[in-house]
Amino acid sequence: MSKGIYVATIEPNSGKSLVVLGLMRMLLGKTAKVGYFRPIIEDTENSEKDNHINTVISFFDIDIDYNHSFAYTRNQVLDLYNKGKSGDVLDGVIKKYKYLEERFDIVLVEGTDFSHENSSLELDINMLISKNLGLPVIIVCQADSKNQKEIVDNVQLAYDAFKEEVDVLSIMTNKVDNTILKELKSKLKERINNGTDITVIPKVRSLASPTIKEIVKTLNGTILFGKDMINNQSENFNVGAMQLRNYLTHLKENTLVITPGDRADIILGALQANISKNYPKVSGIILTGNLIPEDSILKLIEGLSSVVPIITVEDGTFQVTNRIGKIKSKIYAENIDKIETSIATFEKHVNTAKLANDLITFKSDIFTPRMFQYNLLQRALKNKKHIVLPEGYDERVLRASARLIDAHVVDLTLIGDEDKIRERIEKLDIPLNLEDINIVSPQKSPHFNDYVNTFYELRKHKNVNLDMAKDAMSDVSYFATMMIYKGHADGMVSGAVHTTAHTLRPALQFIKTKPGVNIVSSVFFMCLEDRVSIFGDCAINPNPNAEQLAEIAISSAKTAQDFGVEPKVAMLSYSSGASGKGEDVDRVRKATEIVKTLAPHIKIEGPIQYDAAVDMRIGKSKLPDSEVAGQASVLIFPDLNTGNNTYKAVQRETGALAIGPMLQGLNKPVNDLSRGCTADDIYSTVIITAIQAQDL
């Protein structure tokens, strides 16, 4: 079952609130622990609460602190976007949502209202949020004041916009004229005929009618009488400008009477009509022109047993009438009638049994880089580890260190002279407080002599003497690796300045490989737009034989599993299936068979071409019976040349984030960086290294 559901629209006044209220009642019928979340809310004045949140939380008595029920206000989002920090918006939304996901069985997420001009930005944000949360979407459209072709085209537009990015669970078209319900539903099913649930909901007059409370707020009016009936709904409104005997014939059910404040005849006549069995109910009276009835009239009204709300406003009758006609009614917490009407309407017209079943059986294949990175951060935070960074003078290392310390995700040691490091961060204006990290200069370390002697004992059989050991321990890579060996650090990340060989040599000399592991290999976490793939080996082994390829595949599948990616392994070659011949493809075929023998639980396909491995259409055409083709998550390249060039091509051409390389097979985590890495790359690699250290 999905842990959440996202309600979205592409236009204002869609009636999304009706759907949210109905869904909440439906979900509470399935489980008691239902959460509610709005990623982005409108800015409010005087610390007022968001109306949507207040309505849902109060009516359903949901145990959520208000500040946990949203992530940002609209202006906060625009400010971050203008500063080029759009990624921070997603990170903040994911963090807030995940907090609720842990507390509740399911979370109902409501998107923005499209009540402002920049609707294209809102559409993008809503799609990005629902995609990065991995939630199925219910799209709400509205049919008010549109012909059937316009309605169908609008629904198609909404569906096309979302289906490319997310899973659309249902499309609900709201505010439909009762006379075309069946015909419209049929046309929508003809247009979108792929099995997506189609629902049409009729326009409910009472829901579209503003309450006196909404009218007072819009007109900035003052309530003279009838405050206890402020939630009366005004289904009709008209102006009392003619003589009373003629005006009474124009009254309809729940009419709002608009009249100048000096028309005592209209005021008293409307009040009397309201309590008369022979006339419709009056919802309220608006007195225009800032005119208050005379004291004698006010005294008469005060003595009546029942008085509808009487409001005085400053504007003239014509202006007031126009403004009332433009009010778009909303549902709010105190208006219980509208809330219950919304829920009843939803339950009558929505197949809740099917919708609930679709939600229960839903499983998303989308796993975005933002969600992957969030999960990594949370895992690292659960068991804080100590990571050493030998390249303490590099700007990228220092900037990554500042972020890591700010996130409190790891303890850090930088290798280098403290004065030089301090000089660097001051010159580069890096917000890194050196009191929060450990700085070690190898030859000044109290452990230096112990490290020298340890290295000597470990390597004397290789003709290493004490002088050679001392020289080795003066090297930052050797010193940092020895910190791990001695238990003074949990892992190391290097390579921003040094070569791969320089980074790995000490690890291979005395960290060594895990029992049963014959080869150290590497993987990159390729964070593509809608998924995370594991690429291996792209950094270590130039020309692995079949046995080595098999071991790389098994190690990479385990890495995928450890980091929350379901392993579906593709053994890449220039041929798919049994069609290809030649030494290279035979080597891949043999490696595949070895994996099937040694690790039969792994889903694996090989040999297979890259396009057949990642594209479902091509995969099914070439290997129709494969459970990996078209959906591979772990891609094993036949050699270093292919792997290294492919990961760089994918990274550059798609803008994918490549995290790694992460080394597999060592007793302690040591990870190499590309010399072209960014501070973001270092940040992510340190977190991965910390997670590796947790499992040792």
Side-chain angles (χ1 to χ4, degrees), residues 641-659:
N641 180 49
T642 306
N644 192 270
N645 278 295
T646 301
Y647 106 76
K648 287 182 177 177
V650 171
Q651 180 186 32
R652 300 303 175 193
E653 294 301 318
T654 68
L657 172 65
I659 302 175

Side-chain angles (χ1 to χ4, degrees), residues 428-442:
L428 297 168
D429 194 26
I430 298 173
L432 176 60
N433 186 348
L434 296 188
E435 293 181 2
D436 295 330
I437 62 174
N438 183 37
I439 298 177
V440 176
S441 178

Side-chain angles (χ1 to χ4, degrees), residues 73-93:
T73 66
R74 181 183 181 84
N75 280 338
Q76 286 173 335
V77 170
L78 292 176
D79 183 56
L80 287 169
Y81 265 71
N82 290 334
K83 291 177 179 177
K85 296 182 177 181
S86 58
D88 289 359
V89 174
L90 284 176
D91 291 341
V93 168

